[in-house]
């Protein structure tokens, strides 16, 4: 059904995407929180529309390039979830001005609050800020409900009337370290408490804190409840991938992204198939292998049905070559040179980043092409 | 000197690039072979011009997108080094027609020769072919000087007068498995013999074999001699990277690529610096760590001088965050939030692929911007 298509190319199953999106919307509705989808994975206005069922609600991004792209496309409420460097605020202010969007910026440092205040005055701009707290991943953020948190809030208030503290955010990125719902559920509660306790401390010191933002796909799906939380950020749930499947976060039928590739060689000595999808087409992420040691750089599936082809996986990648060991030479007749296969990627965020667009599938047929943004 | 620049961004030191290019040109001149630079790393017409000292000589590419880009920019002689799938020949023929370029295609399969003959007839096109032989990497290619090699040559002759066998090629990709010149020198001889013996077998059976193509940067630099070889393909020598440095292929002064990044956070618990260069800005390649276990995802250097900052390296990457452990909190004063650093990448081919252009440095100052191509 994909004969004659140039490969490698990125396929997005819109039926699965819609199901994944609807499930998370229902989940957040049940939890009583706003869903602020993280679009660093999708980088696509078309996908963002599916995520919010046609609305242009609150979203999350990871780069100012994404903020600019979504603001230009009409999204009015954008959380830029990577800590802002003050030197980037000129461009950020321009995006807000040009497109009438509001970007929420994340900080975790007192001096940076002062610097942002100075930039706001110099630029004649207003910036809404969230303070990041560290719920245990130890990537960024201050201790929850700490003096450091309060000091940042006070610094924001003192720095400039152009700054507005909008709340707190945290991210349980360490929820990806498990393949068992019990510890993920416990982490979801840790994540919730970190945010809620921080919000309460701020409010008790006369700071406003309308936004209490948490999120990761695993904790969003497994949290017992999210009392006190206002919104959830999650992104990979839209597509899922082998990394999510390996952790029990999704089922095979949820995997919405695949790479269409061509068999370009038979290595009889191996024996192995050589595909035209290598390190650039798949990325070198191997995160799924922690809990799925046979995932390699991606599982190899039938191009038409997406059924796994035995245990075949891309086990070695060069820049443009993917090597797929096969149990015996009978696979060469089954998959002659020129055959198409589909590869389920290890980590969709990184795989998708190599492509300028999605070929969009409905009932297994390409019906549309959706552009993606990229870069910084 | 880079203050106010938006990060992450890709810097290319043109002084180092020119030195690297001149060294390989002199080396190939001494070896008596044509240099056919592999531009899968650079993907830039500006870099290609430096590689050939201003000429538009023979080049190597890894995708038809690159072939199209260089053909459109005037390069007439392009070796497309990834095995061709017959379904891609329509586009390939179009590139040849539109731009008057000649693309050399690589095959290692008899049936594919027949299929390419049929495509050539259907398209009214002519295709020049190289047969790939496997000198030990076991990625692709047939046994050197084998019956399989002869069978492909005979199939090319029988398939269509529109196909022209132009020679043989091989690639000692396994030369990257060593950090010692002795085994690399031995592999260079294995690579040479594989190609030369194959060419001799073809010629003894009345096949023409004008091109005898070998190459990888390590074998090109360490070969004792290349008698019987007509041309060398190599690419990473233009930029070098930590993977090359770790194998003793280059010196620190040869590293021409770096990523300019901003410190966006201080994790006091670590302690570590958080940079705005993560998995997308650096890639997830960790190949340098085999022989340089502290390379992480890249070494962190002073932005102005490119001097290493102690032993600092990016040890963990998230999509847009790079985590750099520091020995103690004194580094926070040395590199406050907002500071710039430069990162020497692990593997330049993959790092560069994330960027649409190079900022070109002369004597440490940005003097130009050179676009890159990408995709497939």
């Amino acid at each position: 059904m994909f004969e004659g298509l140039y490969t490698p190319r990125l396929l997005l199953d819109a039926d699965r995407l819609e199901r994944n999106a609807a499930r998370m919307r229902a989940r957040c509705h049940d939890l009583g929180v706003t869903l602020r989808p993280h679009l660093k994975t999708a980088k696509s206005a078309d996908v963002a529309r599916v995520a919010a069922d046609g609305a242009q609600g609150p979203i999350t991004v990871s780069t100012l390039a994404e903020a600019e792209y979504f603001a230009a496309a009409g999204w009015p409420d954008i959380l830029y979830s990577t800590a802002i460097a003050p030197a980037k605020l000129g461009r950020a202010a321009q995006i807000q001005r040009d497109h009438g969007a509001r970007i929420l910026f994340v900080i975790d440092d007192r001096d940076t609050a002062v610097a942002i205040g100075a930039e706001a005055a110099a630029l004649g701009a207003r910036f809404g800020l969230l303070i990041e707290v560290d719920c245990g991943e130890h990537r960024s953020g201050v201790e929850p409900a700490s003096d450091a948190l309060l000091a940042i809030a006070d610094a924001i208030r003192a720095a400039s009337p152009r700054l507005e503290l909008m709340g707190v955010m945290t991210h349980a990125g360490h929820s990806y370290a498990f393949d068992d719902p019990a510890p993920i559920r416990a982490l979801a509660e840790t994540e919730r408490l970190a945010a809620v306790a921080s919000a309460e401390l701020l409010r008790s010191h006369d700071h406003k804190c309308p936004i209490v933002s948490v999120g990761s796909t695993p904790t969003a799906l497994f949290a017992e409840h999210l009392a006190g939380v206002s919104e959830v950020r999650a992104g990979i749930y839209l597509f899922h991938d082998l990394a999510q499947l390996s952790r029990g976060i999704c089922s095979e039928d949820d995997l919405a992204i695949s790479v269409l590739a061509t068999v370009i060689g038979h290595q009889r000595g191996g024996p192995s198939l050589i595909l035209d999808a290598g390190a650039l087409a798949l990325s070198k992420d191997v995160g799924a292998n922690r809990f799925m040691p046979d995932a390699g750089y991606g599982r190899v599936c039938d191009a038409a049905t997406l059924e796994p082809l035995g245990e075949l996986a891309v086990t070695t990648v060069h820049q443009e070559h993917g090597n797929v060991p096969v149990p015996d030479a009978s696979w060469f007749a089954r998959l002659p040179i020129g055959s198409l296969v589909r590869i389920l990627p290890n980590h969709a965020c990184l795989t998708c980043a190599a492509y300028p667009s999605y070929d969009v599938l409905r009932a297994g047929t390409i019906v549309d092409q959706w552009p993606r943004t990229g870069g910084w």
Side-chain angles (χ1 to χ4, degrees), chain A:
Chain A
M1 66 203 327
F2 301 121
E3 271 64 39
L5 287 180
Y6 197 85
T7 58
R9 64 200 303 139
L10 185 64
L11 306 184
L12 169 57
D13 186 317
D15 302 316
R16 292 179 175 199
L17 166 67
E18 286 180 358
R19 279 208 312 272
N20 294 340
R23 193 182 307 124
M24 187 62 89
R25 281 200 305 275
R27 171 84 182 140
C28 287
H29 180 266
D30 292 348
L31 288 164
V33 295
T34 298
L35 173 61
R36 184 189 281 278
H38 203 320
L39 297 167
K40 76 180 178 74
T41 310
K43 298 187 188 240
S44 152
D46 297 287
V47 173
R49 263 180 224 107
V50 174
D53 201 19
Q56 290 193 309
I59 60 172
T60 313
V61 301
S62 65
T63 66
L64 279 186
E66 294 163 32
E68 193 161 22
Y69 165 84
F70 285 107
W75 270 265
D77 177 4
I78 300 171
L79 194 170
Y80 168 54
S81 64
T82 312
I84 184 76
K88 298 186 179 181
L89 287 167
R91 178 171 170 201
Q94 185 81 37
I95 296 168
Q96 293 193 130
R97 248 192 333 269
D98 287 352
H99 305 293
R102 168 126 196 204
I103 307 177
L104 289 167
F105 299 93
V106 170
I107 68 167
D108 66 358
D109 178 74
R110 199 196 155 284
D111 293 345
T112 305
V114 177
I116 293 174
E119 281 292 315
L123 294 162
R126 298 184 164 278
F127 297 121
L129 301 174
L130 300 179
I131 304 175
E132 183 166 6
V133 299
D134 178 8
C135 64
E137 185 185 24
H138 306 318
R139 177 174 78 182
S140 41
V142 295
E143 280 287 299
S146 61
D147 289 347
L149 172 76
L150 260 188
I152 298 171
D154 291 343
I156 290 169
R157 179 148 58 196
S160 167
R162 296 175 171 281
L163 305 189
E164 185 174 9
L165 175 60
M166 295 295 294
V168 294
M169 66 90 82
T170 193
H171 169 57
H174 48 326
S175 62
Y176 293 104
F178 303 100
D179 66 343
D180 173 359
I184 298 174
R185 195 169 292 122
L187 264 190
E189 181 61 4
T190 304
E191 184 183 41
R192 182 189 77 81
L193 283 172
V196 170
S198 297
E200 284 170 358
L201 179 70
L202 291 177
R203 290 175 186 136
S204 73
H205 285 74
D206 203 25
H207 289 289
K208 283 192 302 182
C209 191
I211 294 178
V212 182
S213 181
V214 303
S216 74
T217 288
T219 53
L221 291 174
F222 288 106
E224 296 263 21
H225 70 93
L226 288 178
V229 166
S230 71
E231 65 173 39
V232 160
R233 307 179 321 281
I236 192 64
Y237 74 93
L238 290 164
F239 292 168
H240 287 305
D241 55 22
L242 294 184
Q244 300 297 307
L245 181 66
S246 72
R247 286 157 174 81
I249 309 299
C250 68
S251 70
E252 293 206 11
D253 287 349
D254 300 329
L255 300 172
I257 288 288
S258 57
V259 171
L260 186 69
T262 300
V263 177
I264 59 168
H266 290 158
Q267 185 63 28
R268 291 178 189 279
S272 57
L273 309 171
I274 310 298
L275 306 182
D276 64 352
L280 290 185
L282 298 174
S283 100
K284 291 201 79 162
D285 196 289
V286 291
N289 291 268
R290 179 167 176 173
F291 296 112
M292 189 186 276
D294 55 353
Y297 294 92
R299 280 198 176 159
V300 181
C301 300
D302 182 87
T305 65
L306 208 54
E307 286 296 314
L309 291 169
E311 305 288 317
L312 301 195
V314 180
T315 60
T316 312
V317 287
H318 301 259
Q319 186 162 333
E320 299 294 349
H321 296 79
N323 191 300
V324 180
V326 290
D328 58 69
S330 72
W331 284 89
F332 296 150
R334 189 164 167 191
L335 289 169
I337 291 174
S339 306
L340 295 170
V341 295
R342 275 159 79 189
I343 304 166
L344 293 170
N346 205 298
H347 183 176
C349 303
L350 297 193
T351 299
C352 293
Y355 297 86
S357 62
Y358 303 96
D359 284 327
V360 180
L361 304 179
R362 291 274 181 197
T365 301
I366 295 175
V367 296
D368 207 349
Q369 195 167 58
W370 290 350
R372 289 171 45 86
T373 190
W376 295 274

Coordinates of all heavy atoms in Angstrom, one line a residue, chain A residues 203-264:
Chain A
R203 N 1.2 30.9 48.8 CA -0.1 31.5 49.2 C -0.1 32.0 50.6 O -0.6 33.1 50.9 CB -1.3 30.6 48.9 CG -1.5 30.4 47.4 CD -2.6 29.3 47.2 NE -2.8 29.0 45.8 CZ -2.9 27.7 45.4 NH1 -3.0 26.7 46.2 NH2 -3.0 27.5 44.1
S204 N 0.5 31.2 51.5 CA 0.6 31.6 52.9 C 1.5 32.8 53.1 O 1.4 33.4 54.2 CB 1.0 30.4 53.8 OG 2.4 30.2 53.6
H205 N 2.3 33.1 52.1 CA 3.1 34.3 52.2 C 2.6 35.4 51.2 O 3.4 36.2 50.7 CB 4.6 34.0 51.9 CG 5.2 33.3 53.1 ND1 5.0 32.0 53.4 CD2 6.1 33.8 54.0 CE1 5.7 31.7 54.5 NE2 6.4 32.8 54.9
D206 N 1.3 35.3 51.0 CA 0.7 36.4 50.2 C 1.1 36.5 48.8 O 1.1 37.6 48.2 CB 1.0 37.8 50.9 CG -0.1 38.8 50.6 OD1 -1.2 38.4 50.2 OD2 0.2 40.0 50.6
H207 N 1.6 35.4 48.2 CA 1.8 35.3 46.8 C 0.6 34.6 46.1 O 0.1 33.6 46.7 CB 3.1 34.5 46.5 CG 4.3 35.2 46.9 ND1 4.8 36.3 46.2 CD2 5.2 35.0 47.9 CE1 5.9 36.7 46.8 NE2 6.2 36.0 47.8
K208 N 0.3 35.1 44.9 CA -0.7 34.4 44.2 C -0.1 33.2 43.5 O 1.1 33.2 43.2 CB -1.3 35.3 43.1 CG -2.3 36.3 43.6 CD -3.0 37.0 42.5 CE -2.1 37.7 41.5 NZ -2.7 38.4 40.5
C209 N -0.9 32.2 43.3 CA -0.4 30.9 42.7 C -1.5 30.2 42.0 O -1.9 29.1 42.4 CB 0.2 30.0 43.8 SG 1.2 28.7 43.1
P210 N -2.0 30.9 40.9 CA -3.2 30.2 40.3 C -2.8 28.9 39.5 O -3.7 28.1 39.4 CB -3.6 31.3 39.3 CG -2.4 32.2 39.1 CD -1.7 32.2 40.4
I211 N -1.6 28.8 39.1 CA -1.2 27.6 38.3 C -0.4 26.7 39.2 O 0.6 27.1 39.8 CB -0.4 28.0 37.0 CG1 -1.3 28.8 36.1 CG2 0.1 26.7 36.3 CD1 -0.7 29.3 34.8
V212 N -0.9 25.4 39.3 CA -0.1 24.4 40.0 C 0.0 23.3 38.9 O -0.9 22.5 38.7 CB -0.8 23.9 41.2 CG1 0.0 22.8 42.0 CG2 -1.1 25.1 42.2
S213 N 1.2 23.2 38.3 CA 1.3 22.4 37.1 C 2.3 21.2 37.4 O 3.4 21.4 37.8 CB 1.9 23.3 36.0 OG 2.1 22.7 34.8
V214 N 1.8 20.0 37.0 CA 2.6 18.8 37.2 C 2.6 18.1 35.9 O 1.8 18.4 35.0 CB 2.1 17.9 38.3 CG1 2.0 18.7 39.6 CG2 0.7 17.3 37.9
G215 N 3.4 17.1 35.8 CA 3.2 16.2 34.7 C 4.3 15.4 34.1 O 5.5 15.8 34.1
S216 N 3.9 14.3 33.6 CA 4.7 13.4 32.8 C 3.6 12.4 32.3 O 2.6 12.2 33.0 CB 5.8 12.6 33.5 OG 5.3 11.6 34.4
T217 N 3.7 11.7 31.2 CA 2.7 10.8 30.8 C 2.5 9.7 31.8 O 1.3 9.4 32.2 CB 3.0 10.3 29.4 OG1 2.8 11.3 28.4 CG2 2.2 9.0 29.0
P218 N 3.5 9.1 32.4 CA 3.3 8.0 33.3 C 2.5 8.4 34.6 O 1.6 7.8 35.0 CB 4.7 7.5 33.7 CG 5.5 7.8 32.5 CD 5.0 9.1 32.0
T219 N 3.0 9.6 35.2 CA 2.3 10.0 36.4 C 0.9 10.5 36.1 O 0.0 10.3 36.9 CB 3.1 11.1 37.2 OG1 3.4 12.2 36.3 CG2 4.4 10.5 37.7
A220 N 0.6 11.1 34.9 CA -0.7 11.5 34.6 C -1.6 10.3 34.5 O -2.8 10.3 34.9 CB -0.7 12.3 33.3
L221 N -1.1 9.2 34.0 CA -2.0 8.0 33.7 C -2.2 7.2 35.0 O -3.2 6.5 35.2 CB -1.4 7.1 32.6 CG -1.5 7.7 31.2 CD1 -0.7 6.9 30.2 CD2 -2.9 8.0 30.8
F222 N -1.2 7.3 36.0 CA -1.3 6.4 37.1 C -1.6 7.1 38.4 O -1.8 6.4 39.5 CB 0.0 5.6 37.3 CG 0.1 4.5 36.2 CD1 1.0 4.7 35.1 CD2 -0.7 3.4 36.3 CE1 1.1 3.7 34.2 CE2 -0.5 2.4 35.3 CZ 0.4 2.5 34.2
A223 N -1.7 8.4 38.4 CA -2.0 9.1 39.7 C -3.3 8.7 40.3 O -4.3 8.5 39.6 CB -2.0 10.6 39.5
E224 N -3.3 8.5 41.6 CA -4.6 8.2 42.3 C -5.6 9.3 42.3 O -6.8 9.2 42.0 CB -4.3 7.9 43.8 CG -3.5 6.7 44.1 CD -4.3 5.5 44.4 OE1 -5.5 5.4 44.0 OE2 -3.7 4.5 45.0
H225 N -5.0 10.5 42.5 CA -5.8 11.7 42.4 C -4.9 12.9 42.3 O -3.7 12.7 42.5 CB -6.7 11.9 43.7 CG -5.9 12.3 44.9 ND1 -5.7 13.6 45.3 CD2 -5.3 11.5 45.8 CE1 -4.9 13.6 46.4 NE2 -4.7 12.3 46.7
L226 N -5.4 14.1 41.9 CA -4.5 15.2 41.8 C -5.1 16.5 42.5 O -5.1 17.6 42.0 CB -4.3 15.5 40.3 CG -3.4 14.6 39.5 CD1 -3.2 14.9 38.0 CD2 -2.0 14.5 40.2
A227 N -5.6 16.2 43.7 CA -6.1 17.3 44.5 C -5.1 18.4 44.7 O -4.0 18.2 45.0 CB -6.6 16.8 45.9
G228 N -5.6 19.6 44.4 CA -4.7 20.8 44.5 C -4.0 21.2 43.3 O -3.4 22.3 43.2
V229 N -3.9 20.3 42.3 CA -3.2 20.5 41.1 C -4.2 21.2 40.1 O -5.4 20.9 40.1 CB -2.7 19.2 40.5 CG1 -2.3 19.4 39.0 CG2 -1.6 18.6 41.3
S230 N -3.7 22.2 39.3 CA -4.6 22.9 38.4 C -4.4 22.3 37.0 O -5.4 22.3 36.2 CB -4.3 24.4 38.4 OG -3.1 24.7 37.8
E231 N -3.2 21.8 36.6 CA -3.0 21.4 35.3 C -2.0 20.3 35.1 O -1.1 20.2 36.0 CB -2.7 22.5 34.3 CG -1.3 23.2 34.7 CD -0.9 24.2 33.7 OE1 -1.7 25.0 33.2 OE2 0.3 24.2 33.4
V232 N -2.1 19.5 34.1 CA -1.2 18.4 33.8 C -0.5 18.7 32.5 O -1.2 19.0 31.5 CB -1.9 17.1 33.8 CG1 -1.1 16.0 33.1 CG2 -2.2 16.6 35.2
R233 N 0.8 18.5 32.5 CA 1.6 18.5 31.2 C 2.0 17.1 30.9 O 2.6 16.4 31.7 CB 2.8 19.4 31.3 CG 2.5 20.8 31.9 CD 3.8 21.6 32.0 NE 4.9 20.9 32.5 CZ 5.2 20.5 33.7 NH1 4.3 20.9 34.7 NH2 6.2 19.8 34.1
A234 N 1.7 16.7 29.7 CA 2.2 15.4 29.2 C 2.2 15.5 27.7 O 1.5 16.3 27.1 CB 1.2 14.3 29.6
G235 N 3.1 14.7 27.0 CA 3.2 14.8 25.6 C 3.3 13.5 24.8 O 2.6 13.3 23.8
I236 N 4.2 12.6 25.3 CA 4.4 11.4 24.6 C 3.2 10.5 24.4 O 3.1 9.7 23.5 CB 5.6 10.6 25.2 CG1 6.1 9.5 24.3 CG2 5.3 10.1 26.5 CD1 6.7 10.0 22.9
Y237 N 2.2 10.7 25.3 CA 0.9 9.9 25.2 C 0.3 10.1 23.9 O -0.5 9.2 23.5 CB 0.0 10.4 26.3 CG -0.7 11.7 26.1 CD1 -1.9 11.8 25.4 CD2 -0.1 12.9 26.5 CE1 -2.5 13.0 25.1 CE2 -0.6 14.1 26.2 CZ -1.8 14.2 25.5 OH -2.4 15.4 25.3
L238 N 0.5 11.2 23.2 CA -0.1 11.4 21.9 C 0.3 10.3 20.9 O -0.4 9.9 20.0 CB 0.2 12.8 21.4 CG -0.5 13.9 22.1 CD1 0.1 15.3 21.8 CD2 -2.0 14.0 21.8
F239 N 1.6 10.0 21.0 CA 2.2 9.0 20.0 C 2.6 7.7 20.6 O 2.5 6.7 20.0 CB 3.5 9.6 19.4 CG 3.3 10.8 18.6 CD1 4.4 11.6 18.2 CD2 2.1 11.2 18.1 CE1 4.3 12.7 17.4 CE2 1.9 12.3 17.3 CZ 3.1 13.1 16.9
H240 N 3.0 7.7 21.8 CA 3.7 6.6 22.5 C 4.8 6.0 21.6 O 5.0 6.5 20.5 CB 2.6 5.5 22.8 CG 1.8 5.9 24.0 ND1 2.3 6.2 25.2 CD2 0.4 5.9 24.1 CE1 1.3 6.5 26.0 NE2 0.1 6.4 25.4
D241 N 5.5 5.1 22.2 CA 6.7 4.5 21.5 C 7.1 3.3 22.3 O 6.5 2.9 23.3 CB 7.8 5.6 21.3 CG 8.2 6.2 22.7 OD1 8.0 5.5 23.7 OD2 8.8 7.3 22.7
L242 N 8.2 2.6 21.8 CA 8.7 1.4 22.5 C 9.1 1.7 23.9 O 9.0 0.9 24.8 CB 9.8 0.8 21.7 CG 9.5 0.2 20.4 CD1 10.7 -0.5 19.8 CD2 8.3 -0.7 20.4
A243 N 9.7 2.9 24.2 CA 10.1 3.3 25.5 C 8.8 3.3 26.5 O 8.9 2.8 27.6 CB 10.7 4.7 25.6
Q244 N 7.7 3.8 26.0 CA 6.5 3.8 26.8 C 5.9 2.3 26.9 O 5.5 1.9 28.0 CB 5.4 4.7 26.2 CG 5.8 6.1 26.1 CD 6.1 6.8 27.4 OE1 5.3 6.7 28.3 NE2 7.3 7.3 27.5
L245 N 5.9 1.6 25.8 CA 5.4 0.3 25.8 C 6.2 -0.6 26.8 O 5.6 -1.4 27.5 CB 5.5 -0.3 24.4 CG 4.9 -1.7 24.2 CD1 3.4 -1.8 24.4 CD2 5.3 -2.3 22.8
S246 N 7.5 -0.4 26.8 CA 8.4 -1.3 27.6 C 8.1 -1.0 29.1 O 8.5 -1.8 29.9 CB 9.9 -1.0 27.3 OG 10.2 0.3 27.7
R247 N 7.6 0.1 29.4 CA 7.3 0.5 30.8 C 5.8 0.2 31.2 O 5.4 0.6 32.3 CB 7.7 2.0 31.0 CG 9.2 2.2 31.1 CD 9.6 3.6 30.8 NE 11.0 3.8 31.0 CZ 11.9 3.5 30.1 NH1 11.6 2.9 29.0 NH2 13.2 3.7 30.4
G248 N 5.1 -0.4 30.3 CA 3.7 -0.7 30.6 C 2.8 0.5 30.6 O 1.7 0.5 31.1
I249 N 3.2 1.6 29.9 CA 2.4 2.8 29.9 C 1.4 2.8 28.8 O 0.4 3.5 28.9 CB 3.4 4.1 29.7 CG1 4.6 4.0 30.6 CG2 2.6 5.4 29.8 CD1 4.2 4.1 32.1
C250 N 1.6 2.0 27.8 CA 0.6 1.9 26.7 C 0.6 0.5 26.2 O 1.4 -0.4 26.6 CB 1.0 2.9 25.6 SG 2.6 2.4 24.7
S251 N -0.3 0.2 25.2 CA -0.3 -1.1 24.6 C 0.2 -1.0 23.1 O 0.3 0.2 22.6 CB -1.7 -1.7 24.6 OG -2.5 -0.9 23.7
E252 N 0.4 -2.1 22.5 CA 1.0 -2.0 21.1 C 0.0 -1.3 20.2 O 0.5 -0.6 19.3 CB 1.2 -3.4 20.6 CG 2.3 -4.2 21.3 CD 3.0 -5.2 20.5 OE1 2.8 -5.3 19.3 OE2 3.8 -6.0 21.1
D253 N -1.3 -1.4 20.4 CA -2.2 -0.7 19.6 C -2.2 0.8 19.7 O -2.9 1.5 19.0 CB -3.7 -1.2 19.9 CG -3.9 -2.6 19.4 OD1 -3.1 -3.1 18.6 OD2 -4.9 -3.2 19.8
D254 N -1.5 1.3 20.7 CA -1.4 2.8 20.9 C -0.3 3.4 20.1 O -0.2 4.7 20.0 CB -1.3 3.1 22.4 CG -2.4 2.6 23.2 OD1 -3.5 2.5 22.7 OD2 -2.1 2.2 24.4
L255 N 0.6 2.6 19.6 CA 1.8 3.2 19.0 C 1.5 3.8 17.6 O 1.1 3.2 16.7 CB 2.8 2.1 18.7 CG 3.3 1.3 20.0 CD1 4.2 0.1 19.7 CD2 4.0 2.3 21.0
A256 N 1.5 5.2 17.6 CA 1.0 5.9 16.5 C 2.0 6.3 15.5 O 1.7 6.8 14.4 CB 0.3 7.2 17.0
I257 N 3.3 6.2 15.8 CA 4.4 6.6 15.0 C 5.2 5.4 14.4 O 5.5 4.5 15.2 CB 5.4 7.5 15.8 CG1 4.7 8.9 16.1 CG2 6.7 7.7 15.1 CD1 4.6 9.8 14.8
S258 N 5.5 5.4 13.2 CA 6.4 4.4 12.6 C 7.2 5.1 11.5 O 6.8 6.1 10.9 CB 5.6 3.2 12.1 OG 4.6 3.6 11.1
V259 N 8.3 4.5 11.2 CA 9.2 4.9 10.1 C 9.1 3.9 9.0 O 9.3 2.7 9.2 CB 10.6 5.1 10.6 CG1 11.6 5.3 9.4 CG2 10.7 6.2 11.6
L260 N 8.7 4.4 7.8 CA 8.6 3.5 6.6 C 10.0 3.4 6.0 O 10.7 4.5 5.8 CB 7.7 4.1 5.6 CG 7.4 3.2 4.4 CD1 6.6 1.9 4.7 CD2 6.6 4.0 3.3
A261 N 10.5 2.2 5.8 CA 11.9 2.0 5.3 C 11.9 1.0 4.3 O 11.0 0.2 4.1 CB 12.9 1.7 6.5
T262 N 13.0 1.0 3.5 CA 13.2 0.0 2.4 C 14.4 -0.9 2.7 O 15.4 -0.4 3.2 CB 13.5 0.8 1.1 OG1 12.4 1.7 0.8 CG2 13.7 -0.2 -0.1
V263 N 14.2 -2.2 2.4 CA 15.3 -3.1 2.4 C 16.2 -2.8 1.3 O 15.8 -2.9 0.1 CB 14.8 -4.6 2.3 CG1 16.0 -5.5 2.3 CG2 13.9 -4.9 3.5
I264 N 17.5 -2.4 1.6 CA 18.4 -2.1 0.5 C 19.5 -3.1 0.4 O 20.4 -2.9 -0.5 CB 19.0 -0.6 0.7 CG1 19.7 -0.5 2.0 CG2 17.9 0.4 0.5 CD1 20.5 0.8 2.1

